[in-house]
Amino acid sequence: MQSISLTITDRDRQIAGLTTLAISLHLLEATFPSLLPGVKPGIANIVVLFVLYRYGFATAASVSLLRVLAGSLLFGQLLTPTFFLSMTGALTSLVALWLASRLPASYFSAVSLSILAAMAHITGQLLMVRLWLIPVPQTFLLLPPLLMASIVFGLANGLIVAYLLNGRDARG
Amino acid sequence: MRTWLSKLRPLLWGDWLVLLLSLGITGWLWSDWGNYAHATKCQIRQGTHIIGTYDLMQDRHITVKGTMGQSVIHIHQGKVRFEHAPCHNQYCVQQGWLRRAGQVVLCLPNQVSIVLLGESGFDSLSY
């Protein structure tokens, strides 16, 4: 029988380790009581943003998408609406991060990136809800309060990332 | 404590720009909130019987005879409310003015209900 062997590179181990960290934070967050339905601090994104600075966009994207995939397996949510919502949020925030990481780093710190990614995350998710889950125009009535929450949590997460980076915030 | 604080740096001006712009956009969206999905018509029912569908852009009192007595509904400049009701709890009157499409107010004891309709064509929502 032919055996298939995969070589595991250091980068694979790195991504796996960072993804584990992101999933742990995701699991931790799931134990927090939710103040409002649909509003979560998204602390796993602290890892994603930190990775973006230290290891570059490609690694951050891998960690983010693997986090959603492996996280949904842990929660038993694979291919449920929750999974697709998480995936949409992850994808739209990655697009926002990809664009925002082109902003000059001397003027825009991790806080800017975090806020923009958080807003893109919730906007993408709400768009998905509007188009697929609850296809009525009223869905967008939820946008202002959700955006407000995303700014607050984006700011908080961004400050934590800026603190963790400790001034060494040239982007990888 | 001091070392912990010294790691926290003030926001860069670009961060302030992003923060203020996002708050501004959110505030602007929020200010538009009340206008969203304005109802244009209301449908009044007694039990399962539809009394009629009325345009909200008028000033009009409609009296509906229910199972307990007469409910007075007031339509005024794009909004509608129960003005008087014969029921004892007066929940319907306390709902006040309604103006958004999809909203429903009902007087259960008197079996009178008002459904607000918008241009989009749906008249109820269920989650």
Side-chain angles (χ1 to χ4, degrees), chain B residues 35-106:
Chain B
N35 302 328
Y36 196 88
H38 242 119
T40 52
K41 288 182 170 64
C42 71
Q43 193 173 69
I44 300 172
R45 297 180 207 188
Q46 202 286 307
T48 53
H49 176 66
I50 297 171
I51 304 285
T53 305
Y54 304 90
D55 199 289
L56 286 181
M57 277 304 167
Q58 57 181 331
D59 191 14
R60 183 169 173 183
H61 287 85
I62 296 157
T63 306
V64 179
K65 183 140 179 31
T67 49
M68 282 180 87
Q70 288 186 331
S71 288
V72 180
I73 294 159
H74 186 193
I75 297 173
H76 181 67
Q77 291 181 354
K79 51 195 195 292
V80 62
R81 67 163 174 168
F82 274 106
E83 198 165 77
H84 296 292
C87 55
H88 53 277
N89 54 29
Q90 296 288 303
Y91 288 152
C92 53
V93 176
Q94 282 162 23
Q95 290 288 308
W97 292 106
L98 305 176
R99 60 194 81 210
R100 286 206 199 121
Q103 281 185 315
V104 177
V105 61
L106 41 94

Side-chain angles (χ1 to χ4, degrees), chain A residues 103 105-113 115-116 119 134 136-145 147-148 151 155 159 162-163 166-167 169, chain B residues 3-9 11-19 22-23 25-27 29-30 33 36-37 100-102 120 122 125-127:
Chain A
L103 292 168
S106 45
Y107 299 123
F108 297 90
S109 76
V111 175
S112 287
L113 269 65
I115 293 173
L116 291 171
M119 289 176 80
I134 312 171
V136 296
Q138 270 82 350
T139 315
F140 285 124
L141 282 172
L142 292 168
L143 190 59
L147 273 181
M148 194 54 85
I151 294 170
L155 178 67
L159 286 170
Y163 171 77
N166 194 17
D169 54 359
Chain B
T3 48
W4 184 86
L5 270 177
S6 65
K7 282 187 185 176
L8 270 185
R9 293 173 314 133
L11 298 180
L12 306 174
W13 73 255
D15 298 333
W16 285 110
L17 190 74
V18 168
L19 188 60
S22 23
L23 285 173
I25 290 170
T26 307
L29 286 173
W30 216 319
W33 223 33
Y36 196 88
R100 286 206 199 121
S120 51
F122 54 84
L125 276 176
S126 61
Y127 289 87

Side-chain angles (χ1 to χ4, degrees), chain A residues 21-40:
Chain A
L21 189 60
I23 293 169
S24 312
L25 288 179
H26 183 62
L27 275 167
L28 182 71
E29 186 178 85
T31 65
F32 296 170
S34 179
L35 296 171
L36 284 164
V39 175
K40 283 162 79 183

